[in-house]
């Protein structure tokens, strides 16, 4: 029962309280770049959930069963980068072969995930907090879910703001950055949950 409670706290904490984009500022490039439409934001969020969860599992297994027994933990960053890049490539090849329709929907977003620093950030956070494999997977899923929530909210706001009368010097990225900043302040309200 205690372990389930801890996993629930990690789930809420990683997705809302310590949102990877709005409080840790990781993954800002796809957050700002792919949030023009809700549909594309949802596609990116789905791909991020899949890849971060899978990367957390694989990185956790490699760290526990390869790096730690060989006492080469100092190579963790390099190994995790290679694992993430290879994982994204394997996922892309698998989807292209097994599920062409899903590949067409996510194909554009999968290569972007390789350069998303949130994926590496989750793997390193799992090691720093000494999470086990299951806890690391839950943390990865929750972090990716938080990313998805944030990018979909921003995309919805951007779609609505598209029709507003905004001063010329405020159009485009200044408004997006201001909106993201206000979202970060709003997400600070979740800190009272834990």
């Amino acid at each position: 029962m205690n372990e389930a409670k801890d996993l629930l706290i990690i789930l809420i904490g990683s997705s809302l309280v310590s949102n990877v984009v709005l409080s840790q500022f990781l993954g800002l490039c796809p957050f700002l770049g792919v949030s023009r439409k809700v549909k594309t934001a949802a596609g990116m969020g789905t791909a991020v959930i899949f890849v971060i969860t899978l990367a957390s599992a694989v990185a956790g297994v490699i760290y526990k069963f390869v790096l730690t027994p060989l006492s080469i933990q100092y190579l963790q960053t390099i190994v995790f980068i290679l694992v993430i890049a290879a994982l994204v490539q394997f996922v892309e090849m698998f989807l292209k072969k097994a599920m062409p329709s899903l590949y067409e929907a996510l194909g554009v977003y999968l290569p972007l995930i390789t350069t998303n620093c949130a994926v590496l950030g989750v793997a390193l956070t799992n090691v720093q907090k000494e999470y086990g494999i299951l806890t690391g997977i839950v943390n990865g899923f929750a972090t990716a879910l938080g990313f998805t929530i944030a990018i979909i909210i921003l995309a919805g706001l951007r779609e609505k703001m598209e029709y507003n009368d905004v001063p010329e010097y405020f159009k485009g990225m200044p408004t997006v950055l201001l909106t993201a900043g206000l979202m970060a302040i709003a997400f600070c309200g979740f800190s009272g949950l834990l």
Side-chain angles (χ1 to χ4, degrees), residues 51-69 73 76 79-81 83-84 87 119-120 122-128 130-140:
V51 170
I52 287 184
T53 305
L54 202 54
S56 295
V58 172
V61 168
I62 288 175
Y63 186 81
K64 183 174 183 176
F65 296 112
V66 177
L67 298 179
T68 301
Q73 294 95 329
Q76 69 187 10
V79 171
F80 291 166
I81 289 171
V83 164
I84 291 165
L87 192 60
V119 184
L120 178 62
V122 170
L124 293 174
T125 299
N126 290 343
V127 170
Q128 288 172 348
E130 298 179 359
Y131 287 157
I133 294 172
L134 175 64
T135 310
I137 292 170
V138 170
N139 183 49

Side-chain angles (χ1 to χ4, degrees), residues 92-111:
E92 193 171 357
M93 289 187 310
F94 173 77
L95 289 177
K96 189 174 185 179
K97 197 77 157 166
M99 297 179 235
S101 60
L102 184 60
Y103 173 76
E104 289 298 320
L106 299 178
V108 175
Y109 308 115
L110 284 172

